[in-house]
Amino acid sequence: MSQFETVDEVVRFDSVDEVVTALGEQGYIADTRLATTVFLVTRLEKPLLIEGPAGVGKTELAKALAAVSGRRLLRLQCYEGQDETKALYEWDYGKQLLYTQILREKIGQVVADAPDLHEAVERIGAQESVFFSERFLAPRPLLEAIRAPEPVVLLIDEVDRADEALEAVLLETLAEYQVSVPEVGTFTTKQPPYVILTSNNTRDLSAALKRRCLHLFLDYPSADRELEIVRSKNTGLPEALAAQLVDIVRGLRELELRKSPSISETIDWARTLAVLGVEELNATILSDTASVVVKYDKDVRKAIGALPRLVDPNATIPEHGHGHGHGHGHDGGHSHDEPAHRAVDDTEDEPSEVDGRAIRAAKDQAGRFGHTYGSNPLGVGLGEKAAKAPKVPAERGSRSFGAGLGRKRAL
Ligand SMILES: Nc1ncnc2c1ncn2[C@@H]1O[C@H](COP(=O)(O)OP(=O)(O)O)[C@@H](O)[C@H]1O
Ligand SMILES: [Mg+2]
C-alpha cells in the first residue's frame, strides 16, 4: 500500500490504473469499467450502488475497497422486515438494567422521601437523561460509520431485501451524513465514508436512491476476466482446462436455469476437478460433479442435458424429453424476458414454494440484464439515465410482489 500517496493516512488514487493494481493486490480482479467507478467513489463522495446477479463480486468489491484504502469495513446486511433501529442505533437495554441494579441504593435515595408514587415517578423521570446518554447508546452500522473518528467503508448489502421504509431512512442518512438521536443530539460525520450499496435486483429501488448514487451494473465477467479470477484463486486446475471450464460455465449461464452458476461456483468447480486429478474435461466427469455449480434438481438435469454439447459443440445429442429446446445451440435471445413461460415453468415442479427466497432465486438469471445495460459502455451513471433500466414486465412484477411479499412500489 505504501506505493500510493497517503494524505492524512487516507489512501488517494491518482489514476484508474492504480485502482486496478491495488485491487489486484488484494485478490480482486477488476476491469477498467469497474475500476473507473471505484476511482470515482474515492473522489466524488457519492455512494455507489452496484446491481447485478448473485455471486458476481459485489460484496467482495466493498471488502477489497476497504482493504486497499486501509479503512475499516462496516456492514449493514439488509433483510425483509428489518427496522431502522438495526441500521441506526438502539439503546443498550442490558447495560441500562445492569446500571440500575448496581445503583439501586442510590436510586432508592432519590425517591426515598417522595410523598407519593406520582412524585417518585417525576423524580426518576428527571434523571432519565442519565440513562439515555451516549454511554448507553448502541450504534448500528449507519451511526457507527458517521460517528467513526477515522474514515470507513460502509457496505449496505442487499438493499433490495430491505423494505421501502428503511430505504427512505438510508436515503435521508446518505443525503446528509448525519444521524440525529433526540435524547443525545445530532452526529455529523467528520470524514464521509465510502458507501457501497448492493442489490440483487429482486425489486426496483426508488428513483431517489438511484439518483443519489453512482451506479454500476456488475454482470457475469468476460471469459478472460473470469479465467483471471479462477487463476488468481490457485485452484490447482491446469490453465487449459480452466479456460475450457470457464467457457462451459458461460454456456450453462445461457440455459434457463433457476439459479445460474456464479463466479464462486466456477472456482468451486475448478477446485473440485483439480482435487479429482482430472486431466481432460469430458461430459461424464462434468456431469458427475455438476452439483457443485447447479444446486436445484431441475437445473442439474438441464445442465447434464446440455453438457455434451458444451464440451464438444459438434457432438450430436439425442433429444432429451424434458428440455425446452436447449439442445439447439446457444440462442442468446431465448433466455431473455419470457415471463409467461417462466412463470409456468417455475411452478410446475415446486407448486408449494412461494416464499421470498424462491422468488429471489428465480430472478438470478443469467442474461436478465444483458441487453439493456450492455449499451452503456462505461455502465457508470450519475442519475436517472442509469436508473431507467431494467424494465420488468408487468406479469413478472405482479407475480413477485403479489406472492405474499406485501411490498408496494411507491414511485
Ligand atoms: N473480481 C473478482 N475478483 C476476485 N474474486 C471474485 C471477483 N468477483 C467475484 N469473486 C469471487 O466470487 C465470490 C462471490 O462474490 P460476492 O462478492 O460474494 O458476490 P455477490 O455479488 O453476490 O456479493 C467472492 O467470494 C470471490 O471469491
Ligand atoms: Mg453479496
Side-chain angles (χ1 to χ4, degrees):
M1 215 176 300
S2 53
Q3 75 194 89
F4 305 107
E5 191 188 337
T6 63
V7 185
D8 293 338
E9 299 194 36
V10 177
V11 176
R12 187 181 163 87
F13 298 107
D14 285 326
S15 68
V16 171
D17 285 347
E18 268 189 11
V19 175
V20 174
T21 309
L23 288 174
E25 282 170 2
Q26 295 298 329
Y28 193 91
I29 315 296
D31 56 14
T32 44
R33 183 176 74 100
L34 197 155
T36 303
T37 314
V38 171
F39 179 74
L40 294 177
V41 168
T42 66
R43 289 299 176 92
L44 295 181
E45 290 188 1
K46 254 175 174 275
L48 166 64
L49 170 62
I50 312 177
E51 295 188 272
V56 292
K58 301 184 296 296
T59 304
E60 195 72 13
L61 178 61
K63 294 181 186 168
L65 175 61
V68 301
S69 59
R71 294 180 171 210
R72 187 157 61 99
L73 179 74
L74 297 172
R75 178 174 183 167
L76 175 66
Q77 179 65 49
C78 298
Y79 53 87
E80 238 176 291
Q82 186 174 29
D83 68 41
E84 62 178 65
T85 60
K86 293 282 183 291
L88 294 170
Y89 65 89
E90 292 175 283
W91 291 105
D92 190 340
Y93 177 65
K95 192 169 170 186
Q96 288 168 328
L97 205 61
L98 184 69
Y99 272 63
T100 52
Q101 276 173 3
I102 293 170
L103 297 171
R104 202 167 26 210
E105 259 177 46
K106 195 77 202 155
I107 293 168
Q109 286 168 18
V110 172
V111 294
D113 59 349
D116 55 22
L117 191 59
H118 179 77
E119 175 62 19
V121 169
E122 283 297 320
R123 287 192 195 176
I124 293 289
Q127 308 294 322
E128 225 169 58
S129 62
V130 174
F131 289 100
F132 290 93
S133 60
E134 226 176 316
R135 184 190 299 277
F136 297 102
L137 196 61
R140 298 300 170 225
L142 285 188
L143 178 58
E144 206 181 342
I146 280 166
R147 225 173 55 144
E150 80 289 356
V152 299
V153 173
L154 173 63
L155 165 63
I156 302 177
D157 214 11
E158 305 189 346
V159 63
D160 53 326
R161 295 187 181 216
D163 300 320
E164 276 160 12
L166 183 63
E167 198 182 313
V169 171
L170 294 177
L171 191 64
E172 203 180 305
T173 312
L174 296 179
E176 315 200 322
Y177 288 119
Q178 66 176 37
V179 171
S180 149
V181 181
E183 297 87 344
V184 179
T186 300
F187 295 94
T188 312
T189 186
K190 292 188 184 64
Q191 170 104 39
Y194 296 153
V195 181
I196 294 194
L197 302 106
T198 78
S199 165
N200 288 352
N201 275 23
T202 59
R203 69 171 174 91
D204 282 342
L205 301 172
S206 75
L209 185 69
K210 292 195 172 193
R211 205 162 39 235
R212 177 145 316 276
C213 297
L214 288 163
H215 187 261
L216 175 72
F217 182 77
L218 211 52
D219 208 342
Y220 297 111
S222 66
D224 284 350
R225 193 158 72 90
E226 186 155 9
L227 181 58
E228 207 181 327
I229 294 171
V230 171
R231 200 184 290 134
S232 76
K233 303 288 175 188
N234 300 319
T235 60
L237 193 68
E239 174 78 12
L241 297 193
Q244 204 187 344
L245 187 69
V246 163
D247 283 339
I248 289 167
V249 173
R250 290 169 64 81
L252 290 180
R253 286 182 192 141
E254 289 187 20
L255 303 179
E256 208 168 276
L257 299 180
R258 179 168 161 185
K259 168 71 179 75
S260 283
S262 69
I263 300 175
S264 22
E265 271 121 17
T266 313
I267 297 165
D268 286 348
W269 212 4
R271 288 209 173 103
T272 304
L273 295 167
V275 164
L276 292 173
V278 169
E279 288 174 354
E280 168 202 89
L281 298 190
N282 57 49
T284 311
I285 189 65
L286 293 175
S287 299
D288 288 348
T289 53
S291 57
V292 173
V293 280
V294 275
K295 310 288 169 68
Y296 292 97
D297 185 43
K298 203 162 103 184
D299 286 357
V300 174
R301 275 182 276 137
K302 279 188 189 170
I304 289 175
L307 277 170
R309 171 176 58 81
L310 293 173
V311 175
D312 175 7
N314 299 320
T316 46
I317 309 141
E319 271 302 321
H320 56 287
H322 192 74
H324 304 276
H326 290 310
H328 309 303
H330 293 234
D331 178 3
H334 194 76
S335 59
H336 295 278
D337 289 331
E338 291 183 273
H341 167 80
R342 186 173 298 155
V344 173
D345 198 17
D346 274 353
T347 43
E348 72 187 3
D349 278 10
E350 299 97 10
S352 61
E353 206 171 352
V354 286
D355 68 338
R357 242 178 324 141
I359 292 162
R360 279 193 291 272
K363 289 178 166 277
D364 289 332
Q365 300 283 342
R368 173 164 136 69
F369 316 98
H371 293 330
T372 18
Y373 283 88
S375 57
N376 177 3
L378 258 190
V380 182
L382 287 164
E384 220 94 54
K385 206 161 157 251
K388 267 190 195 146
K391 269 210 183 118
V392 180
E395 305 93 304
R396 188 184 293 174
S398 62
R399 185 174 146 253
S400 31
F401 294 110
L405 278 184
R407 289 203 190 103
K408 276 205 205 110
R409 288 279 301 116
L411 246 190

